[in-house]
Amino acid sequence: MESQRSLLFFGLLAVSFLLFSAWQEDQAPKPAPAAVTETVPAAGTDYLPKSDAADVVQSAAAPSESRIIHFGNDVLSLAVDTRGGDIVDAQLDKFAATQGSEERFELLTRTSDFAYLAMSGTVGNDGADTRGRARPIYNAAEPVTLADGSQQLVLSYQDAKGVTFKKTMTLAPGKYVVNTLVEVQNGSTQPLVLEPFVQILRSNHEPDGGAFMAHSYTGAVYSTEEKKYEKYSFDDFKKRDLKLATDNGWVAMLQHYFVTAWAPKSNTDMLFYTQQAGDKAIIGAKTLPVTIAPQGSTSLSADLYVGPKDQDAMAAVAPRLEKTVDYGILWFIGELLFWLLKHLHALVTNWGFAIILLTLIVRGAMYPLTKAQYTSMAKMRALQPKLTALKERYGDDRQRMSQAMMELYKKEKVNPLGGCFPLLLQMPIFIALYWVLQESVELRHAPFMLWITDLSAKDPFFVLPVLFVLSMWVTQKLQPSTIADPMQQKVMQLMPVMMGAFFAFFPSGLVLYWLVSNLVSITQQLIIYKGLEKKGLK
């Protein structure tokens, strides 16, 4: 098959993918507005796991008003509401809200029109957070610094029966993991029945009414030993409630580049659940009902990860949590590309140059196939006179024409599809790299050089797309056309411009990869053509 037909075939495959993606917005989602805890009421009891309601139990020792407690480390700043002991704000101090901004990115937040909270407590017959009861207001001392540098916040509440509910939150230096220990000490004279829980609540829309990022999944995910990685979309919340018995795993809410996940450390059976409360989606985990004898106790320990989709950091929290970096159906190629990119970045300390080196490695590894491709194209062009003669000989007899062509290809040892395979092989690499650039938080706001200050966003001046068009045009000129059909000729001439128009809205890192790939391809063509000419093939 001649080169132009191969290029057209590849172009149509690429355009089908580009048409699917070009309309999507290629920038990080807008951060949630700053938390406004002073004017927004606390989360209601509708947000708590479903269980039997009981009479409200008020404590004379409990403070009458809630307050916000701030604590954190060098990478994470948290705000905890003493009413319920929920984390109502989480600011990622190493991540700008927008590129170049002094404002930090807020992952968890609570405002008048948007909520994203990490909640914990106890429900059941005797739970402090059971539906129908006013959520307890905890006593809280100021956070303390432990010997290892960790920050620790202790919240406690005692009801009128003498039952003590306690939460201890510990945050190590440099970590995005909040270890949360929920404890219940039964100081009453009667046994208690309750269920400790942890859950994530999120509005099922973007802040300020913004649309979800179509190219990145926003919604819930959970993992168990049986179901390794299961998405649970906001549409799923509206259709049915999840109820899944398990003894291990995690639940999470995902968005572009960031994740919030609870990983319970329970030795007992648990129930993973979801529920829809108005415009709020909730996913959580709770123990099965626990009976606590008088003077007895129970506890639930869970790690809360609230931070970027850092694969190494998440893998240390819970098995398979790193899978929240979703490279799509071609994840196995995406993981390999990211692994290689990360090691290249360690050498050159610039993600743009790492992409260039990755391109050189990929094109170098494909050189034998590329050589076979252009050799096949040259042989096909050499057969054109014979193919034309066969067409004149057999006319409209397509069956005999096809048989004669197959015999000619076999005799001349030419594979008519030899020019397509390297192009087809590049397509999954192209798609996988697209998702690597979209999903890898390491490339968020990553600069290259000069005007390219964010490889995950489009080229602001469209310089790379224009250079890409020129490189594609040069590639075409190196492959003189033998297409006689005027319509196909026009399509081929417009192909570089069409591809450039789509690439204009793609991440600049992806355009950089394809531009360098074209430049390497041009160089390889010149070398291969020179060798073929010495063998008499033009």
Side-chain angles (χ1 to χ4, degrees):
M1 180 177 290
E2 52 148 294
S3 59
Q4 283 74 23
R5 292 186 183 274
S6 299
L7 183 59
L8 177 60
F9 182 63
F10 164 70
L12 292 175
L13 284 175
V15 167
S16 64
F17 172 73
L18 296 171
L19 281 171
F20 173 73
S21 306
W23 59 273
Q24 299 169 354
E25 219 181 334
D26 287 293
Q27 57 183 2
K30 294 179 181 179
V36 187
T37 55
E38 293 81 2
T39 59
V40 179
T45 57
D46 285 345
Y47 300 156
L48 302 171
K50 295 177 181 177
S51 52
D52 295 333
D55 294 335
V56 175
V57 179
Q58 299 290 351
S59 170
S64 59
E65 297 293 335
S66 64
R67 61 192 180 103
I68 301 297
I69 306 294
H70 295 275
F71 82 113
N73 56 16
D74 52 328
V75 297
L76 191 60
S77 296
L78 302 174
V80 177
D81 190 342
T82 56
R83 181 182 294 277
D86 301 328
I87 299 178
V88 298
D89 191 272
Q91 178 178 281
L92 310 185
D93 296 329
K94 296 295 184 181
F95 292 86
T98 57
Q99 191 175 21
S101 171
E102 292 297 324
E103 184 182 358
R104 300 294 90 185
F105 185 85
E106 281 187 309
L107 185 52
L108 301 182
T109 190
R110 186 177 67 182
T111 68
S112 58
D113 61 353
F114 185 82
Y116 191 3
L117 314 175
M119 307 173 70
S120 58
T122 55
V123 292
N125 292 341
D126 302 296
D129 302 281
T130 298
R131 286 188 174 196
R133 298 176 178 175
R135 297 200 70 195
I137 299 177
Y138 287 85
N139 290 292
E142 291 302 310
V144 298
T145 302
L146 304 182
D148 63 355
S150 298
Q151 294 293 305
Q152 188 172 87
L153 174 65
V154 179
L155 309 170
S156 62
Y157 162 78
Q158 187 176 77
D159 66 17
K161 297 178 181 178
V163 180
T164 301
F165 300 88
K166 184 179 178 182
K167 290 186 186 181
T168 304
M169 301 180 185
T170 307
L171 180 61
K175 303 292 185 181
Y176 294 98
V177 183
V178 185
N179 178 261
T180 302
L181 180 63
V182 178
E183 297 176 281
V184 181
Q185 178 69 44
N186 185 5
S188 72
T189 58
Q190 300 295 323
L192 305 177
V193 179
L194 47 75
E195 306 155 47
F197 75 91
V198 291
Q199 69 180 26
I200 303 166
L201 174 149
R202 190 190 193 280
S203 298
N204 59 11
H205 58 81
E206 286 297 274
D208 297 328
F212 289 124
M213 301 299 291
H215 56 58
S216 184
Y217 175 74
T218 299
V221 173
Y222 64 91
S223 174
T224 67
E225 195 61 39
E226 293 76 25
K227 297 182 178 292
K228 305 295 185 182
Y229 183 85
E230 292 289 327
K231 292 180 179 179
Y232 203 85
S233 70
F234 289 131
D235 287 337
D236 291 331
F237 279 88
K238 299 172 184 177
K239 296 175 183 176
R240 63 189 183 279
D241 288 342
L242 173 71
K243 293 182 180 180
L244 181 65
T246 182
D247 59 359
N248 65 74
W250 48 263
V251 295
M253 282 284 185
L254 310 187
Q255 67 185 64
H256 199 200
Y257 293 130
F258 302 100
V259 60
T260 303
W262 278 112
K265 310 296 182 183
S266 175
N267 293 324
T268 63
D269 290 337
M270 303 193 68
L271 181 72
F272 284 3
Y273 62 87
T274 64
Q275 65 187 69
Q276 181 80 17
D279 67 341
K280 309 295 190 299
I282 301 167
I283 186 167
K286 64 178 181 178
T287 68
L288 299 183
V290 178
T291 301
I292 311 174
Q295 308 309 313
S297 65
T298 190
S299 65
L300 172 63
S301 176
D303 284 338
L304 172 68
Y305 183 89
V306 51
K309 291 181 180 177
D310 183 318
Q311 296 184 53
D312 293 336
M314 292 189 294
V317 174
R320 299 178 296 278
L321 186 56
E322 72 278 5
K323 297 298 182 182
T324 55
V325 181
D326 191 353
Y327 293 142
I329 193 171
L330 297 173
W331 57 269
F332 50 95
I333 300 178
E335 289 183 354
L336 177 61
L337 290 177
F338 179 73
W339 176 85
L340 186 54
L341 260 180
K342 186 168 66 172
H343 283 77
L344 292 173
H345 176 261
L347 294 175
V348 297
T349 67
N350 181 293
W351 287 105
F353 289 118
I355 290 173
I356 292 175
L357 290 178
L358 173 68
T359 311
L360 295 177
I361 291 173
V362 171
R363 294 297 306 189
M366 291 177 59
Y367 180 75
L369 292 175
T370 303
K371 185 176 181 180
Q373 171 192 4
Y374 292 126
T375 301
S376 176
M377 289 178 177
K379 290 181 178 179
M380 287 295 295
R381 282 195 294 271
L383 289 180
Q384 284 302 314
K386 295 182 179 180
L387 291 172
T388 301
L390 288 176
K391 187 174 182 181
E392 294 175 352
R393 179 178 178 182
Y394 294 108
D396 294 332
D397 191 340
R398 294 179 179 236
Q399 183 175 358
R400 295 193 63 188
M401 176 68 179
S402 298
Q403 291 176 349
M405 287 175 60
M406 291 299 103
E407 291 175 1
L408 179 61
Y409 292 150
K410 185 176 181 180
K411 178 181 177 181
E412 299 292 338
K413 297 181 180 180
V414 175
N415 182 1
L417 298 179
C420 297
F421 186 69
L423 299 175
L424 290 174
L425 189 61
Q426 286 188 69
M427 198 60 190
I429 296 175
F430 170 86
I431 296 173
L433 185 60
Y434 172 84
W435 287 110
V436 167
L437 294 175
Q438 288 293 351
E439 277 290 291
S440 300
V441 70
E442 291 84 354
L443 285 117
R444 179 181 186 262
H445 299 169
F448 175 36
M449 59 187 298
L450 302 176
W451 71 96
I452 303 297
T453 57
D454 185 358
L455 287 164
S456 67
K458 66 183 181 182
D459 184 335
F461 303 113
F462 305 107
V463 176
L464 289 180
V466 170
L467 293 176
F468 166 79
V469 170
L470 293 175
S471 68
M472 196 171 178
W473 179 79
V474 171
T475 301
Q476 282 191 344
K477 289 301 180 182
L478 285 176
Q479 302 171 355
S481 177
T482 58
I483 295 177
D485 181 59
M487 181 58 69
Q488 289 190 35
Q489 288 180 352
K490 290 181 180 180
V491 171
M492 291 304 303
Q493 292 169 1
L494 290 175
M495 185 63 69
V497 178
M498 293 169 57
M499 296 285 286
F502 287 122
F503 271 72
F505 299 96
F506 270 67
S508 54
L510 188 67
V511 185
L512 176 65
Y513 165 82
W514 211 254
L515 170 61
V516 176
S517 181
N518 279 357
L519 295 177
V520 174
S521 178
I522 290 170
T523 303
Q524 290 178 340
Q525 286 181 57
L526 293 173
I527 294 172
I528 294 169
Y529 286 165
K530 187 175 181 179
L532 292 175
E533 286 178 358
K534 291 181 180 180
K535 297 179 180 180
L537 288 174
K538 294 186 178 181

